[in-house]
Amino acid sequence: KQEVTQIPAALSVPEGENLVLNCSFTDSAIYNLQWFRQDPGKGLTSLLLIQSSQREQTSGRLNASLDKSSGRSTLYIAASQPGDSATYLCAVRTGGGNKLTFGTGTQLKVEL
Amino acid sequence: NAGVMQNPRHLVRRRGQEARLRCSPMKGHSHVYWYRQLPEEGLKFMVYLQKENIIDESGMPKERFSAEFPKEGPSILRIQQVVRGDSAAYFCASSSQMGQRDTEAFFGQGTRLTVV
């Protein structure tokens, strides 16, 4: 059974700092991995999708890496801003059907 | 191209009533997934449907919960005789293809169900 863990559960940083969020999964036979952002009381916004054959994906100040063999992914946020404050979720897709297994998220707060 | 649309956004039901949650997938998407997010917990898969078919319902509670995705109209998640423990955010996602490794899931804004 796939299990996804995210560390840390919560993180508070000053504005401008670079930071790394971690995601680990127990079954390395994944098809892809997605990072999402969730604002309080809101839905999920897809940030980055990494296919199993890829090592990393970049979008603006975000960079996600994937090490499938070790079951790890990181989300790097450069020059953090208060608007980055949200919960970041990692999810992996294992097998057909696009069923996603989610981690419990990292709650990020970027302070002025 | 509108995204995944869920309604209502907020739903309040008394214990014992029925709750109906609707999800219209993105245009061109024929695969729908329902997830539940309980307070202070992560999202958990409930059910995966294609038009007129339930493909995987391994995450659905055995009683009171049902889902459908008719040939015409939105997908419906139905909860009968709701209890306080059903209070949660219910999210719908859609995708265009099954089994394709590069398929991305797109999520709706969710329906927040409160049982009083």
Side-chain angles (χ1 to χ4, degrees), chain A residues 31-32 34 36 38-46 49 51-52 89 93 96-104, chain B residues 9 33 35 37 41-43 45 48 56 58 91 95 97-105 107-110 112:
Chain A
Y31 280 1
N32 58 44
Q34 269 183 278
F36 295 89
Q38 185 176 28
D39 292 280
K42 305 290 186 183
L44 276 70
T45 301
S46 181
L49 170 71
Q51 302 299 337
S52 61
L89 298 168
R93 174 171 170 250
N98 211 24
K99 180 169 63 179
L100 294 171
T101 302
F102 281 85
T104 49
Chain B
R9 293 290 305 277
Y33 315 79
Y35 292 81
Q37 187 175 37
E41 293 188 21
L43 279 84
F45 168 79
Y48 161 44
D56 181 352
S58 58
F91 290 95
S95 68
Q97 300 180 63
M98 182 201 76
Q100 299 298 316
R101 297 188 175 199
D102 59 351
T103 301
E104 184 173 358
F107 281 77
Q109 293 295 299
R112 278 148 186 86

Side-chain angles (χ1 to χ4, degrees), chain B residues 3 5 13-14 17 22 32 38 41-42 44 61 70 74 77 81 85 90 93 97 102 104 112 115:
Chain B
M5 304 299 292
R13 284 288 178 267
R14 296 185 185 280
Q17 291 184 319
R22 296 174 186 78
V32 166
L38 291 165
E41 293 188 21
K44 304 291 185 187
L77 179 67
Q81 299 176 318
Y90 292 82
Q97 300 180 63
D102 59 351
E104 184 173 358
R112 278 148 186 86
V115 179

Side-chain angles (χ1 to χ4, degrees), chain A residues 11-16 19 80-82 84-85 108-112:
Chain A
L11 181 63
S12 182
V13 299
E15 182 180 13
L19 56 100
S80 58
Q81 303 170 358
D84 294 332
S85 298
L108 172 66
K109 183 176 182 181
V110 181
E111 300 174 317
L112 289 167

